[in-house]
Amino acid sequence: MEASLRANETLLVNDLCAEAFSADTKVQIRKDNKRFTCHICGLVCLHKGQLNEHIHTHTNKKPYSCDACGKEFSRDRYLKSHFRTHTNEKPYSCDVCGKEFPRKAHLIDHYRIHTNEKPYSCDVCGKEFSRKLYLRSHFRIHTKEKPYSCDVCNKEFSLKCQFNVHYRTHTNEKPYFCDICNKGFSQKCNLAKHYQTHTNEKSFSCNVCVKAFSLKCHLNKHFRIHTNEKSYSCDVCKKEFSQKRYFLTHRATHTNEKQFSSDV
């Protein structure tokens, strides 16, 4: 009787998993209290189906393919999540601000904006982040890793977004267009700045004198009037300046360069 029970406690993986392993390798699932454990990495699953899908991460099988673009996935839920990029479906919404997302993970990341939760911390400097992606990107400051390399000029970047922006200097690509004047921009932030020239919106106001500005950088420059902060220092005579353009004009007096101004 005990031998029979022990035999029932060991279940062979289905044919899909068995194909991925050699005949002399017995891939088995341990069933303990209705939980299924992967013998390769020890992951515990509540259902046999979950374990079978998990096995695909070891075998590199991707049995689920997108009908729209043909991209393949190892799990059905990954396919469903991907398919929303075609349908533009966003079933997860923030109950604070109403913003919608195609993936639950994106909603969880977004929600930390409201809670100010930062569960990921750098074990080198202790800086905290709301998303694991931000921590990984930050960590390259310490490792000096630059995994993104330009195949035109060989310049290297630590962040993919930096690489993408740089690469447009070679292609002259401007994917962001103003819907009012149709002017194109290589960066989304530059489009946002340009757009305010049409709306005359001034979203950034000084909390000292209430003067308002359309760009945050303009507010920062203005605020130095109140703080008397001088961030730019001449390395020749040590004179300090609150604004970069004044600093550059002054520095030209040492180098005998001529500063030209241009209309924006």
Side-chain angles (χ1 to χ4, degrees):
M1 182 67 175
E2 291 182 1
S4 177
L5 289 173
R6 283 196 298 272
N8 289 334
E9 286 176 352
T10 303
L11 303 176
L12 289 178
V13 177
N14 61 17
D15 293 339
L16 181 62
C17 297
E19 288 175 2
F21 296 84
S22 60
D24 58 349
T25 303
K26 294 290 185 180
V27 182
Q28 296 179 334
I29 304 173
R30 295 194 304 273
K31 182 181 179 184
D32 302 309
N33 297 325
K34 294 184 179 180
R35 294 191 179 188
F36 299 86
T37 306
C38 175
H39 90 293
I40 299 173
C41 67
L43 181 73
V44 177
C45 301
L46 295 177
H47 305 288
K48 186 178 178 181
Q50 290 177 339
L51 181 57
N52 288 340
E53 283 197 340
H54 162 74
I55 289 293
H56 295 152
T57 63
H58 298 300
T59 64
N60 203 31
K61 287 203 171 210
K62 296 181 178 180
Y64 306 99
S65 62
C66 176
D67 293 337
C69 67
K71 191 171 183 180
E72 298 177 335
F73 300 88
S74 61
R75 299 190 181 189
D76 183 46
R77 63 189 176 94
Y78 295 162
L79 170 60
K80 290 177 180 176
S81 179
H82 158 79
F83 199 71
R84 296 187 188 116
T85 62
H86 299 296
T87 63
N88 203 31
E89 180 190 0
K90 296 180 179 180
Y92 305 100
S93 62
C94 175
D95 58 5
V96 177
C97 67
K99 191 171 183 179
E100 298 176 334
F101 301 88
R103 299 181 182 179
K104 189 175 182 179
H106 294 172
L107 171 61
I108 293 172
D109 287 339
H110 161 81
Y111 202 73
R112 295 188 184 118
I113 295 174
H114 302 299
T115 62
N116 203 32
E117 180 189 1
K118 296 180 179 180
Y120 305 102
S121 61
C122 175
D123 55 8
V124 176
C125 66
K127 191 171 183 179
E128 298 177 333
F129 301 88
S130 61
R131 297 179 64 180
K132 196 172 185 178
L133 173 66
Y134 298 158
L135 171 60
R136 283 200 300 263
S137 299
H138 159 81
F139 201 71
R140 296 187 186 121
I141 296 174
H142 302 298
T143 63
K144 307 296 181 185
E145 180 190 2
K146 294 182 177 181
Y148 305 102
S149 176
C150 176
D151 57 6
V152 178
C153 66
N154 295 322
K155 191 171 183 179
E156 296 178 334
F157 302 87
S158 58
L159 301 178
K160 190 175 182 179
C161 60
Q162 293 174 341
F163 164 72
N164 290 339
V165 170
H166 161 80
Y167 200 73
R168 293 183 190 124
T169 63
H170 299 299
T171 64
N172 202 31
E173 180 190 3
K174 296 181 179 181
Y176 306 103
F177 290 91
C178 175
D179 57 6
I180 296 177
C181 67
N182 208 36
K183 188 175 181 179
F185 298 87
S186 61
Q187 297 186 51
K188 194 174 183 178
C189 61
N190 290 340
L191 170 60
K193 291 176 182 178
H194 161 80
Y195 198 73
Q196 289 169 340
T197 63
H198 296 298
T199 63
N200 201 30
E201 180 185 359
K202 296 182 178 181
S203 307
F204 305 96
S205 60
C206 176
N207 58 12
V208 177
C209 67
V210 199
K211 190 172 182 179
F213 302 87
S214 59
L215 300 179
K216 189 175 182 180
C217 60
H218 292 170
L219 169 62
N220 292 339
K221 289 178 182 178
H222 161 81
F223 200 71
R224 296 187 189 116
I225 296 173
H226 302 298
T227 63
N228 202 32
E229 178 187 357
K230 296 181 178 180
S231 304
Y232 304 97
S233 176
C234 176
D235 54 5
V236 177
C237 67
K238 307 304 179 185
K239 190 171 182 178
E240 297 178 333
F241 301 86
S242 61
Q243 295 191 31
K244 189 176 182 178
R245 61 192 178 103
Y246 296 151
F247 162 66
L248 293 176
T249 301
H250 163 80
R251 193 174 64 176
T253 62
H254 295 297
T255 60
N256 203 29
E257 295 176 357
K258 293 183 178 180
Q259 294 291 312
F260 299 94
S261 62
S262 59
D263 294 333
V264 178

